[in-house]
Amino acid sequence: MGRLHVATLMKRMEIAALYRRPTTSHPTPGHPIYPYLLRKLAVTRPNHVWAMDITYVPMARGFVYLVAVLDWFSRRVLAWRLSITLETGPCVAALSEALAGYGPPRA
């Protein structure tokens, strides 16, 4: 009997394993909930809405941070930077490069 068959039988019998599940989706009491400002905005052309993201990339010894500025419509990476520390310098540099290369996003 394989693991998928066991999972199917457990679902059919309505039993589940007992373990602590992550509670990352529960809001903290008293924390403000900010509105999503782009909910009713139709993104219809390039250079209309940009997004910026920071993530980490695992390496052989530790990890590095990757900062990227993205265009929502074309899903193109406008600028990016790598950093070994989580500081504002690479973020500002990537945003400055995107602004210099493509101009500010037009509403």
Side-chain angles (χ1 to χ4, degrees):
M1 183 179 307
R3 129 182 107 79
L4 294 178
H5 186 60
V6 170
T8 303
L9 292 176
M10 287 177 68
K11 284 180 188 176
R12 193 175 294 169
M13 295 168 47
E14 296 180 358
I15 59 174
L18 296 177
Y19 60 92
R20 187 176 182 121
R21 289 180 168 74
T23 57
T24 57
S25 298
H26 301 295
T28 304
H31 189 273
I33 298 174
Y34 297 100
Y36 183 61
L37 300 177
L38 300 175
R39 184 174 308 281
K40 295 181 182 178
L41 180 68
V43 181
T44 57
R45 63 188 181 283
N47 206 18
H48 189 192
V49 175
W50 288 359
M52 191 166 193
D53 191 25
I54 302 174
T55 188
Y56 69 95
V57 180
M59 303 294 284
R61 293 185 173 180
F63 51 88
V64 294
Y65 294 100
L66 172 66
V67 178
V69 180
L70 307 163
D71 180 41
W72 268 19
F73 182 79
S74 63
R75 298 182 182 169
R76 182 177 179 177
V77 176
L78 304 177
W80 60 273
R81 288 285 187 270
L82 283 174
S83 174
I84 58 171
T85 61
L86 191 58
E87 295 179 350
T88 59
C91 300
V92 173
L95 183 59
S96 298
E97 181 184 340
L99 287 171
Y102 300 94
R106 294 177 213 93

